[in-house]
Amino acid sequence: MNIEIINLPRFTDPRGNLSVVESFKNVPFDIKRVYFTYDVPAGESRAHHAHKELTEFIIAVSGSFTVELDDGREKKRIQLNKPYEGLLVNPGIWRNLVDFSTGAVVLVLCSDFYNPDDYIDDYQEFLDFCKNNNLPA
């Protein structure tokens, strides 16, 4: 599966902790868009889509949540709960975000600007996309 956990540099002193994310240094792309999700009600989930070209770097800056990943052949569940660790999700991976803790904040760094045509929101369409682009499905 075309994903990777990346540990970010951590700087700690008596004032607290600091982590840094830099384009082409910690993430292998130029960061063009940043968004965050918070106050997700108990039992709700987010995402339910894949991207054709977009790469994302997902960080739990507060609290925790689980990322369900599917490349059409293999499924994985990864819990994110460290603000100095992020999940690199490349194109062609279906993702769902579930099991949000109270106060969870999801930070997502994106390789491109928002483009609704890049989203695959239908799971069967996702499987067809994988097949037509020689992806694992």
Side-chain angles (χ1 to χ4, degrees), residues 38-52:
Y38 54 96
D39 292 340
V40 177
E44 288 297 324
S45 60
R46 301 288 307 208
H48 305 284
H49 66 268
H51 288 283
K52 298 172 189 172

Side-chain angles (χ1 to χ4, degrees), residues 11-30:
F11 303 95
T12 302
D13 68 31
R15 300 170 295 165
N17 300 316
L18 178 126
S19 288
V20 177
V21 180
E22 295 176 306
S23 297
F24 299 110
K25 189 169 183 180
N26 310 105
V27 295
F29 57 82
D30 185 21

Side-chain angles (χ1 to χ4, degrees), residues 17-83:
N17 300 316
L18 178 126
S19 288
V20 177
V21 180
E22 295 176 306
S23 297
F24 299 110
K25 189 169 183 180
N26 310 105
V27 295
F29 57 82
D30 185 21
I31 300 166
K32 293 190 176 174
R33 181 168 61 112
V34 175
Y35 69 90
F36 50 97
T37 302
Y38 54 96
D39 292 340
V40 177
E44 288 297 324
S45 60
R46 301 288 307 208
H48 305 284
H49 66 268
H51 288 283
K52 298 172 189 172
E53 297 182 17
L54 185 79
T55 300
E56 292 183 329
F57 189 65
I58 305 170
I59 304 168
V61 294
S62 181
S64 66
F65 54 90
T66 299
V67 184
E68 298 176 332
L69 302 153
D70 180 348
D71 67 3
R73 179 187 59 193
E74 178 185 4
K75 294 181 180 185
K76 288 186 177 182
R77 290 175 53 92
I78 296 176
Q79 185 180 51
L80 294 178
N81 58 10
K82 301 175 182 111

Side-chain angles (χ1 to χ4, degrees), residues 76-134:
K76 288 186 177 182
R77 290 175 53 92
I78 296 176
Q79 185 180 51
L80 294 178
N81 58 10
K82 301 175 182 111
Y84 56 84
E85 182 177 88
L87 176 65
L88 182 68
V89 182
N90 288 293
I93 304 288
W94 187 268
R95 81 281 323 266
N96 296 321
L97 279 63
V98 299
D99 301 330
F100 290 87
S101 70
T102 301
V105 178
V106 181
L107 177 67
V108 183
L109 312 176
C110 304
S111 64
D112 208 347
F113 302 109
Y114 175 73
N115 176 3
D117 295 331
D118 186 60
Y119 283 74
I120 305 171
D121 295 317
D122 178 80
Y123 188 72
Q124 185 57 53
E125 183 183 331
F126 163 70
L127 294 176
D128 294 342
F129 173 81
C130 291
K131 181 180 176 185
N132 294 334
N133 288 282
N134 296 317

